[in-house]
Amino acid sequence: MQHGKYRFIVGFLAAPLALYAIFVIWPFIQSIYYSFTDWTGLSPDFEMVGFDNYSKMLEDQIFWDSLWHSLIFALLLPLVTLGLALFFAFMLNVGGRRRKGAAIAGVRGSGFYKIAYFFPQVLSIAIVAVLFAFAYNPNEGAINGLLRAVGLDSVQPQWLGDPDTALWAVMAVLVWSTVGFFVVLFSAGMASIPKDFYEAALLDGASRFTTFFRITVPLLWDTVQSGWVYMGILALGAESFAVVQIMTVGPGGPDYSTTVLVLYVYQTAFRDGQAGYATTIGVALLVITLALAALVMRVGRRERLEF
């Protein structure tokens, strides 16, 4: 009986594991292999160059600038996005005023707010980037137009044209486009927390601020931790690439002020024809992503709370 059970399990998992190995593991192995070559990405001919690509990467200032921008995204984007999402979800579920028949309730119109916050998730990130590129236009954009409307004519930043503001303008778009997903996710988690916990805390004289940090965050910590890892991967991957590629001058400018690692991999491979060097940067990006995920899981590990 036991032998038949294990045979069934192995047979059930064989096809998925084979597909995973072919389409995920094997490309990783190929990338590591090509990182030791001078492959152009077009010609079938290439030579092994050893660690030359890695030595070149360590001396490449654009690589270090891109790495710094990616780390800013990976550290600040989850912090801002998850912080806002937790606050909004708390207000929508338990942060409202006490009403007749319900000591614990969300703000009025919470159902509408959840839809409004989630709406950016319906839009493609490419559409969001195009819309905000128009909004950031210094002459005809909605943001500077609003500043002029309220009498701030002297405050007219070159949002995407100034190296000091371009990176933060791009990050704001990523926050706007992703915060709604986590508002809905955290709202679902908060809805499962018994209201008795909040009522007992309020009867003991706890403030909303205290209940947020003493009840809500500890009971949602596993969800927050998973969200941090997801946001870190998102910030290092396709989302940041799409926004920077579409919105910024160059793209990646001005003066490489918004270039991120994934964009630099794309430019090196398809613009410069240095696929071998691009895979080297890609391997570095893989190591950084895995290290970030492991760090978050390690630092954020705590005793599991159940209710």
Side-chain angles (χ1 to χ4, degrees):
M1 179 65 72
Q2 291 293 327
H3 178 71
K5 182 181 71 172
Y6 290 126
R7 185 169 58 185
F8 171 77
I9 294 174
V10 171
F12 186 78
L13 293 177
L17 289 177
L19 291 174
Y20 185 82
I22 293 172
F23 294 107
V24 178
I25 302 300
W26 180 241
F28 283 155
I29 296 175
Q30 284 183 309
S31 296
I32 295 173
Y33 171 75
Y34 284 124
S35 70
F36 293 101
T37 71
D38 62 354
W39 185 41
T40 64
L42 299 175
S43 172
D45 301 323
F46 57 84
E47 296 181 0
M48 300 296 294
V49 296
F51 288 93
D52 289 356
N53 286 332
Y54 289 91
S55 300
K56 177 181 177 181
M57 181 182 69
L58 295 177
E59 298 174 357
D60 188 350
Q61 185 59 44
I62 300 178
F63 165 77
W64 290 109
D65 290 342
S66 304
L67 174 61
W68 173 242
H69 300 153
S70 294
L71 290 178
I72 291 176
F73 274 20
L75 296 176
L76 292 185
L77 189 60
L79 179 65
V80 175
T81 302
L82 299 182
L84 288 174
L86 277 170
F87 172 74
F88 290 147
F90 182 79
M91 295 303 296
L92 293 179
N93 289 273
V94 296
R97 292 183 177 181
R98 185 174 307 193
R99 295 198 288 271
K100 183 178 180 180
I104 302 298
V107 297
R108 294 186 183 276
S110 58
F112 168 77
Y113 289 130
K114 289 179 183 179
I115 296 174
Y117 288 139
F118 191 75
F119 175 73
Q121 290 293 311
V122 180
L123 301 176
S124 165
I125 189 63
I127 295 175
V128 171
V130 170
L131 291 175
F132 272 90
F134 284 111
Y136 280 132
N137 187 294
N139 299 319
E140 302 175 356
I143 298 177
N144 281 4
L146 180 62
L147 293 176
R148 287 192 294 268
V150 298
L152 296 176
D153 295 40
S154 59
V155 182
Q156 298 290 298
Q158 301 284 329
W159 296 103
L160 299 174
D162 187 346
D164 295 329
T165 60
L167 187 68
W168 308 110
V170 170
M171 187 181 298
V173 176
L174 289 171
V175 171
W176 182 86
S177 65
T178 55
V179 69
F181 171 79
F182 291 100
V183 170
V184 175
L185 180 66
F186 293 151
S187 293
M190 291 179 192
S192 66
I193 300 176
K195 302 296 183 185
D196 296 345
F197 290 5
Y198 294 104
E199 293 175 355
L202 293 177
L203 288 175
D204 288 339
S207 64
R208 299 287 186 181
F209 181 85
T210 302
T211 59
F212 177 76
F213 285 101
R214 296 290 185 179
I215 298 177
T216 304
V217 174
L219 293 178
L220 285 180
W221 186 250
D222 288 344
T223 306
V224 173
Q225 187 182 47
S226 300
W228 195 291
V229 174
Y230 172 77
M231 280 298 301
I233 295 173
L234 181 148
L236 292 171
E239 294 284 320
S240 61
F241 165 78
V243 175
V244 173
Q245 171 77 4
I246 294 171
M247 292 182 61
T248 60
V249 179
D255 194 26
Y256 296 103
S257 60
T258 59
T259 303
V260 290
L261 278 179
V262 65
L263 175 65
Y264 192 40
V265 170
Y266 170 81
Q267 291 176 334
T268 304
F270 297 102
R271 183 193 63 185
D272 302 336
Q274 301 179 37
Y277 182 47
T279 56
T280 304
I281 303 172
V283 170
L285 179 59
L286 172 64
V287 173
I288 293 167
T289 303
L290 294 176
L292 176 66
L295 178 64
V296 172
M297 298 300 292
R298 175 66 178 176
V299 173
R301 186 169 59 186
R302 60 174 60 187
E303 184 179 355
R304 184 180 181 88
L305 299 177
E306 297 183 358
F307 53 90

